Amino acid sequence: MVLPGLPAAMHRHYSLDVSAPLLRTQGYVDGRWVSAASVFPVLDPATGKEIARVSDCGPAEAKQAVDAAYKAFHSWKQCTAKERSILLRKWFDLLTLHKEDLAKLITFESGKPMRESLAEITYSASFLEWFSEEARRVYGDIVPSPAKDRKILLLKQPAGVASIITPWNFPSAMITRKVGAALAAGCTVVVKPAEDTPLSALALAELAEQAGIPAGVFNVVPCSREKTPAVGEVLCTDPLVAKISFTGSTTTGKLLLKMAADTVKKATMELGGHAPFIVFDSADVDKAVAGAMASKFRNSGQTCVCSNRFLVQSGIHDRFMEKLGKAMDAELRVGHGSEPDTTQGPLINTRAAEKVVQQVSDAVSRGAKVLKGGKRLDGSFMEPTLLANVTTDMLCMKEETFGPLLPVIRSVRSLCSWN
């Protein structure tokens, strides 16, 4: 494990160099770039330095966006499947054309290593490509009728306005995955990006406009952490909204579902997890270590599908831990995401780093042993950490970490009984 750029990364000058049209700092409502009464800062989590100030939209702007989306819905749903398909394909082409600049935005506002940011843009664009093709395939069906004088036809129709609330860990892909499907079906959307990463969402809006997506079909209302509850309430309670789609924490998801219940909105929730990584005595150790490295340290452990707890059978435990430790030393490089050798960027903010520190401290106080890392570095950087002698009563076994912490339980019995 190498820390090549720390603490230098905190003091070195890193410049966000992207083409001017893609660095948008206003909200996007009804095809217009709109300012709010105030702004909020967007920080580079690797340095803590401000990289932009973005319009801090509130309930009024959110309501304007919903109204614009509702108005646009009546014309957008009348577009043919082919027309919607062509526009989505143009949007996809523009993402591909500007992938380098879009990746830089992700790296500077989320801390993700550039290599992963480029992969995210490819992933993000793929959703637009997929749904541009699927837009033409929204088929209905004919169902045999029990009565001779009747026919039963099934028609698929767009739901209406969709509120899209997205996380910071995939600030581009989580938008296109939701929005691509909605627009292909004939729905219109209002996007509320995470307060840490609004720049990627606004860049997508710029490219949507360039692609010819009509005014009001795609709206973005960025806001600060302080205004998020009020904006979220509008997006989940306004009677003109038919659907909400949210990716984030289970706690927040529950709140959004409660707010959406009064108007019985359709809801899709991708919430927190506590994924186990299980290694049996019969496993190929090298493959198990490779899998553990990939599933734990992608985006510094900040993905919804990161393994959170590692259960290793006693017969293979020592070999697994030895090889895992060597792999961490050889493969992990901590630093600013724009540095070509970096594999581990910072966590999204200091609160995220403090949560990992708390879990490590709790585990050590209960008897865990730190084999690698274990320390918080400058700012929101955290050393990739390997823990042994872990037990089920520790916080890291009960809560999703969302950080580069790999806790291993040694099992002396069959793992088939774990749940």
Side-chain angles (χ1 to χ4, degrees), residues 158-366:
V161 177
S163 292
I164 308 295
I165 304 174
T166 55
W168 47 261
N169 59 338
F170 287 91
S172 181
M174 290 301 98
I175 293 175
T176 58
R177 184 172 75 170
K178 299 173 187 291
V179 171
L183 268 56
C187 296
T188 56
V189 300
V190 179
V191 177
K192 206 294 288 181
E195 66 270 15
D196 292 300
T197 56
L199 301 180
S200 292
L202 296 171
L204 289 175
E206 168 64 28
L207 295 180
E209 183 174 83
Q210 292 182 23
I213 304 293
V217 172
F218 181 71
N219 306 274
V220 181
V221 284
C223 66
S224 63
R225 184 178 180 85
E226 290 73 26
K227 289 189 178 178
T228 289
V231 170
E233 183 175 359
V234 171
L235 298 183
C236 291
T237 61
D238 193 298
L240 299 183
V241 173
K243 161 86 177 181
I244 61 173
S245 180
F246 170 71
T247 297
S249 72
T250 302
T251 300
T252 301
K254 289 178 179 179
L255 293 174
L256 299 184
L257 284 170
K258 287 178 182 178
M259 288 191 286
D262 283 345
T263 45
V264 197
K265 299 187 190 307
K266 301 178 187 298
T268 301
M269 299 277 136
E270 182 191 5
L271 307 179
H274 194 41
F277 188 100
I278 302 173
V279 184
F280 291 96
D281 285 343
S282 58
D284 181 312
V285 178
D286 292 331
K287 289 183 178 179
V289 167
M293 292 291 292
S295 69
K296 177 73 262 185
F297 295 112
R298 179 187 177 196
N299 195 19
S300 299
Q302 300 172 112
T303 79
C304 305
V305 294
C306 273
S307 298
N308 206 62
R309 48 199 173 122
F310 290 72
L311 314 173
V312 182
Q313 211 163 359
S314 58
I316 201 172
H317 177 273
D318 292 347
R319 284 180 293 148
F320 176 81
M321 296 296 277
E322 180 184 2
K323 291 197 172 188
L324 179 59
K326 290 180 179 178
M328 290 175 65
D329 287 339
E331 298 176 23
L332 302 183
R333 302 285 189 279
V334 179
H336 194 284
S338 63
E339 297 288 350
D341 292 336
T342 294
T343 66
Q344 301 290 288
L347 300 190
I348 188 62
N349 50 42
T350 56
R351 295 189 306 276
E354 288 164 1
K355 181 179 180 181
V356 179
V357 169
Q358 180 187 18
Q359 289 195 358
V360 172
S361 298
D362 171 80
V364 170
S365 72
R366 297 174 186 270

